[in-house]
Amino acid sequence: MNELYLHPMSGAYSNAKLVLNTSDHPQGSVTWKSPSNLAIIKYWGKHGRQLPRNPSISMTLNAAHTTTTIHYRRREMTASEGISLELLFEGKPAPKFAERIQGFLGSITDIYPFLRQLHLTIHSDNSFPHSSGIASSASAMSALALCLCSLERHFFDTLQDKSEFLTKASYIARLASGSASRSVYPYMSAWGKHGDVPGSSDDYAVPFAELLHASFKTMRNAILIVSSGTKTVSSSAGHELMETHPYASTRYAQAGQRMSQLLPALQHGDWATFGQIAENEALTLHALMMASNPSYILMKPASLELIDLIRGFRADSGLPVYFSLDAGPNLHVLYPDEHAMEIEAFLQSSCIPKCEDGVWISDKCGTGPEEILG
Ligand code: PMV
């Protein structure tokens, strides 16, 4: 284990040592498949180099994932040259996405100076429909970060230890998209320093699977697509608005308190406490959007109709079925695997008809990313 791993705090990975010798590694490729995640305690508000204002915890998804391949070729470069990149999203050029990746890779050359010594061709493919309105940054950026760490391991023989590898991948993913830091671990993962999560850090996420009750490891997540349109306000703009938000400090304190309430529930299989916190967090996130200046609303009428239906069904059936929302109008319906039959019968008859084009994604808690060896 190298000394950087023992103290991987802000800036600890910034070292100029990761430079390739002239004739090493002329070309090659790495591929990772990495899932999206759904936050139960939401990260909303950031500062500095993508550091969170509050701790968060998420379930790692299974069906919703991105597969990313980086093909690299050594190139001659002069000191002033930036990143040489060609990016194909689902087989086609995607200029906006390419610009974001180019900017991100250029911003981490303090950590990975070798990136400037390569020409990169990146292929990124999502398992979920492009137009489903599902946030893809967590899966896309975690897959990219994992590929970068595989390159580091391959070039420099570092990161041989699995936990060291995943810590760094989470750190790099965080720099690309905060929520992506949580996608590198199976089942559940926590990001942001919190007294009740051993080893937790603002710099990277840590796994939260060991203490997790078995019923949460098989948790289902039915994603009901209410609208597949692009969001009117991006997450980055939302985070920014938290900087002047009148409720910001109360919100950050609340997130910490809710972590303290949620963690024992996750350990003991207490679905009622879990569900109450998950729903309140989802509505708090959207309430913060509605109360920011300027205010905005990402839910649609059908989001509210579906929330009513789910709460009504829960009251009538007594079954543990709850909802969450990401920064968008689509609903994530959460329930234990053992009740999947009854709950999915209800979703099919009452909820799916209200989805856009009847589209929903049957997902569940997943086992985390996978390296695809060529
Ligand atoms: O990772 P970002 O910057 O796209 O922020 C995502 C924030 C939420 O998805 C709304 C909440 C979360 O913790 O994932």
Side-chain angles (χ1 to χ4, degrees):
M1 206 174 276
N2 72 32
E3 61 177 22
L4 286 178
Y5 179 62
L6 298 175
H7 308 284
M9 300 179 306
S10 283
Y13 291 127
S14 310
N15 70 72
K17 281 187 260 170
L18 301 178
V19 176
L20 292 163
N21 289 326
T22 338
S23 57
D24 291 351
H25 311 291
Q27 60 185 350
S29 67
V30 288
T31 301
W32 276 86
K33 173 178 136 181
S34 188
S36 187
N37 69 73
L38 170 76
I40 305 301
I41 304 282
K42 309 289 185 184
Y43 145 63
W44 201 237
K46 62 179 176 180
H47 65 103
R49 198 174 176 182
Q50 199 103 297
L51 293 163
R53 288 282 186 200
N54 67 260
S56 58
I57 188 164
S58 58
M59 79 178 274
T60 301
L61 297 180
N62 182 62
H65 62 255
T66 299
T67 303
T68 295
T69 299
I70 299 185
H71 297 275
Y72 65 88
R73 195 166 24 84
R74 289 296 303 276
R75 64 165 182 157
E76 295 300 323
M77 63 150 216
T78 58
S80 62
E81 270 182 297
I83 302 294
S84 172
L85 171 71
E86 190 186 338
L87 182 133
L88 296 173
F89 177 66
E90 313 212 311
K92 298 192 193 92
K96 270 197 170 164
F97 189 33
E99 201 182 309
R100 181 168 173 197
I101 301 295
Q102 176 111 20
F104 165 63
L105 295 176
S107 77
I108 58 163
T109 50
D110 58 331
I111 301 169
Y112 284 150
F114 67 80
L115 289 173
R116 296 171 61 240
Q117 298 175 283
L118 306 172
H119 172 72
L120 304 168
T121 306
I122 299 182
H123 292 260
S124 187
D125 298 286
N126 287 345
S127 63
F128 40 93
H130 175 41
S131 58
S132 65
I134 296 294
S136 58
S137 75
S139 54
M141 296 310 179
S142 57
L144 179 65
L146 288 156
C147 285
L148 294 174
C149 288
S150 278
L151 289 183
E152 177 190 330
R153 185 176 56 191
H154 177 65
F155 293 154
F156 304 102
D157 272 339
T158 51
L159 307 180
Q160 299 295 335
D161 176 86
K162 192 177 174 197
S163 120
E164 187 184 346
F165 183 95
L166 293 177
T167 301
K168 186 149 186 184
S170 175
Y171 181 102
I172 302 287
R174 180 205 104 220
L175 295 174
S177 167
S179 56
S181 67
R182 297 183 310 242
S183 272
V184 307
Y185 293 111
Y187 306 116
M188 277 204 153
S189 171
W191 172 43
K193 194 146 186 53
H194 189 277
D196 298 351
V197 184
S200 58
S201 167
D202 285 355
D203 294 315
Y204 47 82
V206 294
F208 191 80
E210 233 169 79
L211 294 171
L212 194 62
H213 189 269
S215 67
F216 287 113
K217 287 192 177 169
T218 52
M219 172 158 52
R220 297 283 187 141
N221 181 343
I223 310 171
L224 308 183
I225 307 302
V226 166
S227 168
S228 58
T230 324
K231 286 188 283 189
T232 46
V233 180
S234 70
S235 286
S236 326
H239 288 294
E240 179 85 37
L241 287 170
M242 284 305 285
E243 288 306 290
T244 51
H245 201 291
Y247 304 143
S249 58
T250 320
R251 160 59 194 161
Y252 302 143
Q254 176 191 57
Q257 288 152 8
R258 283 187 173 157
M259 282 288 276
S260 299
Q261 292 160 3
L262 179 64
L263 301 178
L266 291 173
Q267 286 172 39
H268 301 127
D270 175 356
W271 277 78
T273 302
F274 164 81
Q276 187 243 319
I277 294 174
E279 291 194 351
N280 209 318
E281 273 294 298
L283 295 178
T284 298
L285 172 70
H286 285 260
L288 287 165
M289 295 171 187
M290 290 185 218
S292 60
N293 188 11
S295 64
Y296 62 106
I297 303 177
L298 294 184
M299 282 191 286
K300 300 279 181 210
S303 316
L304 296 178
E305 272 184 67
L306 289 165
I307 288 172
D308 265 357
L309 283 168
I310 290 159
R311 286 185 160 174
F313 175 73
R314 181 166 77 234
D316 294 345
S317 66
L319 290 171
V321 52
Y322 304 93
F323 70 85
S324 182
L325 294 153
D326 228 319
N330 304 321
L331 251 78
H332 290 253
V333 188
L334 306 173
Y335 45 96
D337 184 51
E338 61 172 315
H339 295 301
M341 280 247 291
E342 305 109 287
I343 291 169
E344 283 171 17
F346 150 73
L347 293 177
Q348 286 289 358
S349 64
S350 305
C351 298
I352 313 294
K354 302 207 177 287
C355 293
E356 186 182 75
D357 302 325
V359 174
W360 71 292
I361 297 171
S362 170
D363 212 335
K364 61 181 182 182
C365 216
T367 51
E370 212 183 297
E371 182 163 21
I372 314 284
L373 299 168

